[in-house]
Amino acid sequence: MAEAPPPRSPLAGLADALAGARADDATLAEQPARIRLNLRLDPKDADALTAAGAILGGSLPRTPNTAATTVNGKTLLWLGPDEWLVTGPAGEGGAPEDALRGRLDGRHHALADVSAMYATLVLSGPRAREVLMKGCRLDLHPRAFKPGACVQTTLAKANVILHQTDDAPTYEITVRNSFAHYLATWLLDAMAEYRLA
């Protein structure tokens, strides 16, 4: 039986434009493929939270709109009181999902692999915040939104998960595949004035 071809990025048609979207003030790139798991647990079930944390290599964030990075390179994003998005290196395949299912068996939980549903754009540089402010109503000032913050919001009318990873600032913008091309094109246009400068 023939092996299935690797999945094609929804941003493949913009590869050249993204390769040229590099400047001192703002840079845009597609994040390499990662696994993405949507995990729902009862936040009052301390044993389930501990079990999940042991598999993931770090505690699930309990503070609203925060993210944590684990020792084994996974990112855990708080999406709601009982919901998290777990991302990790694509090379791990289904191992984290299988391990979580095994450890949480018999406990009230929901776990779904949503890797194929999303693309992630990485926007970075001194003007990145200004680029985002053109299409996002959130207060992105460093006093209100800083490294480790994440939120579900809209950017240019597309639903996204916005995560600030450092002080550069760098933002990971996770969007459904069906909106990825539109949003990448919008971001390229929004940052054009800074690239020209």
Side-chain angles (χ1 to χ4, degrees):
M1 177 184 262
E3 209 173 293
R8 184 169 192 251
S9 164
L11 298 171
L14 289 176
D16 290 341
L18 289 172
R22 307 198 182 292
D24 290 339
D25 288 340
T27 300
L28 183 66
E30 181 180 10
Q31 185 183 64
R34 289 177 66 84
I35 60 164
R36 294 181 186 88
L37 303 174
N38 184 273
L39 174 62
R40 299 198 76 152
L41 286 174
D42 180 353
K44 295 176 186 166
D45 187 344
D47 290 341
L49 293 171
T50 301
I55 294 294
L56 298 171
S59 299
L60 292 166
R62 301 290 302 281
T63 304
N65 300 320
T66 60
T69 302
T70 68
V71 292
N72 53 10
K74 291 181 182 60
T75 302
L76 314 174
L77 297 107
W78 185 96
L79 299 183
D82 66 348
E83 183 177 13
W84 294 266
L85 181 66
V86 177
T87 74
E92 294 182 320
E97 181 181 6
D98 294 341
L100 280 169
R101 284 193 193 287
R103 186 63 74 95
L104 298 173
D105 188 36
R107 296 192 175 278
H108 182 70
H109 75 283
L111 181 64
D113 184 340
V114 295
S115 305
M117 290 176 57
Y118 294 100
T120 299
L121 291 155
V122 179
L123 178 66
S124 184
R127 301 282 191 172
R129 185 176 289 110
E130 293 173 40
V131 171
L132 289 177
M133 288 173 17
K134 292 180 178 186
C136 184
R137 294 180 183 208
L138 288 179
D139 180 0
L140 296 175
H141 190 279
R143 72 174 168 261
F145 200 85
K146 52 187 84 174
C150 72
V151 66
Q152 296 181 84
T153 187
T154 56
L155 175 61
K157 300 184 181 179
N159 292 327
V160 301
I161 300 169
L162 183 64
H163 173 214
Q164 184 175 343
T165 61
D166 62 31
D167 282 317
T170 300
Y171 300 94
E172 292 179 352
I173 307 161
T174 300
V175 61
R176 286 185 182 270
N177 283 344
S178 54
F179 287 91
H181 189 280
Y182 155 76
L183 187 61
T185 303
W186 185 91
L187 285 165
L188 287 167
D189 183 64
M191 64 188 276
E193 66 179 289
Y194 306 121
R195 287 190 290 128
L196 292 173

